[in-house]
Amino acid sequence: MDKRFQLQFTNKVDQELLRDAIAQWGISKRALTAIKFDGGAILVNGEERNVRHRLAEGDDVTIIFPVEEASEGLIPVQGELAVVYEDEAVLLVDKPAFMSSIPSREHPNNTLANLVYGYFEQQQHASTVHIVTRLDRDTSGLMLIAKHRHIHHLMSEQQKKGQIHREYEAVAEGIIVQDQQSIIAPIGRKDTSIIEREVRPDGQFAHTDVTVLTRKNNMTHIRLKLHTGRTHQIRVHMAYIGHPLVGDELYGGTHTFIDRQALHCRYIEFEHPLTKERVHFESKLPEEISTLIY
């Protein structure tokens, strides 16, 4: 069985150069070089051709990428993985709270990346783990993973253009009076910490939209839409307006009702890298968060 990732399409323009036809798939020069020298191939009607070949209308084109090697040092771990959606290009999972996205000195093994790598091994899927959207360790919800380097490249381009939309739900301390508001405030690292962030004039531009869903027990259930992706953005912005997330001790919340920040990635929408269709998925709010306000 050929474990190499492949793209296949039928050419629609007579006398089009092969390199122009494959450009629609966003293949980088680096990827083309790897295809040429590292065990890939470009086939037209089953015959290998170079990028200067002229296509006829109706020609079948197959792009075969080299076998991808897994990251050195990433340890495969077998365990429960909540798969929301999967196909040959992407994997969407529901990450539980208290699980890091990637290994670190404090959490070298039992991270989502380790679990996904173990899952890939079970499937005999030859790829490293390409995380597209990352979550903090104590944040739960949807995380998007690309199943090949080229797909990761395409999804990263979407991120740069703001075409991957994520919405979060959270519970903030206190009653937020405004039904809707936009928080536009720059975020940077706090001088006294390597972890903590703060709103500061020399920080990076950051924009969060906040919509109130319910108010109860001196807490406010909110929906948040990110227009930028700064580290700890939601947590910092909510603390900045005087309503830190329930359970977020780092930014002024308390652990009285929940032992982690009450934050969940509930919704994601993106353009599928192969079909080019907009797709969206949702995740149920965890019980420990929903019981705070219902």
Side-chain angles (χ1 to χ4, degrees), residues 110 127 197 212 253 279:
N110 295 315
S127 174
R197 266 63 174 175
V212 170
V279 294

Side-chain angles (χ1 to χ4, degrees), residues 3-16:
K3 295 182 179 181
R4 295 178 297 178
F5 178 72
Q6 300 184 14
L7 292 175
Q8 296 177 312
F9 64 93
T10 300
N11 183 55
K12 297 180 180 180
V13 180
D14 192 39
Q15 294 301 302
E16 184 175 29

Side-chain angles (χ1 to χ4, degrees), residues 74 99-104 107-108 111-114 131 134-135 143:
L74 184 60
M99 177 181 286
S100 298
S101 295
I102 59 173
S104 64
H107 307 283
T111 72
L112 189 82
N114 296 111
I131 294 178
R134 192 181 300 183
L135 295 176
M143 277 184 58

Side-chain angles (χ1 to χ4, degrees), residues 18 32-33 36 71 82 99 146 193 207 260 267 272 277 281:
L18 180 54
L32 280 174
T33 300
K36 183 175 181 180
S71 300
M99 177 181 286
S193 175
H207 178 185
R260 56 107 166 182
Y267 175 90
H272 192 281
E277 296 178 355
F281 303 91

